[in-house]
Amino acid sequence: MTAPLVFAGALCKQYLHSKNILIGAHIAEIGGIEDLPFSNLALTPSLLSFLNECDFPILDQEANQKIQKKIADAVIKKDSLGGIIECAVLG
């Protein structure tokens, strides 16, 4: 079921982009480690494009390193971590 939903979402995102509506998201928190919130930044099309191109969309490099270490530790322990994604829309 995941593949059809991802495909439908990709089509919708392309349609919205054609109407100058941009969507972007980042990892706001994983395992209690927080990234910078969108409210502290100037949301721009270039920022949302940057996040869309990232393999691991996190705004704060220090938080990025901490989160990736926390994930690696959880993998070793065969554990899981909760997370929060923050999404923004321009246009």
Side-chain angles (χ1 to χ4, degrees):
M1 187 66 190
T2 301
L5 292 175
V6 170
F7 179 73
L11 288 177
C12 291
K13 194 172 178 180
Q14 285 180 349
Y15 174 76
L16 291 172
H17 191 324
S18 75
K19 302 293 182 188
N20 292 322
I21 299 172
L22 304 175
I23 300 170
H26 74 111
I27 299 168
E29 179 184 333
I30 289 183
I33 301 170
E34 297 180 356
D35 189 17
L36 298 171
F38 276 147
S39 61
N40 290 356
L41 305 170
L43 284 177
T44 62
S46 61
L47 176 62
L48 295 185
S49 293
F50 165 76
L51 292 171
N52 285 330
E53 294 171 10
C54 288
D55 291 333
F56 204 78
I58 295 182
L59 301 165
D60 179 18
Q61 288 299 21
E62 185 177 325
N64 188 334
Q65 292 173 353
K66 289 178 183 178
I67 288 173
Q68 293 214 33
K69 182 179 180 338
K70 185 109 177 188
I71 291 170
D73 292 344
V75 168
I76 290 168
K77 296 176 184 175
K78 297 184 180 180
D79 199 0
S80 63
L81 302 169
I84 299 171
I85 304 296
E86 183 178 33
C87 182
V89 180
L90 293 176

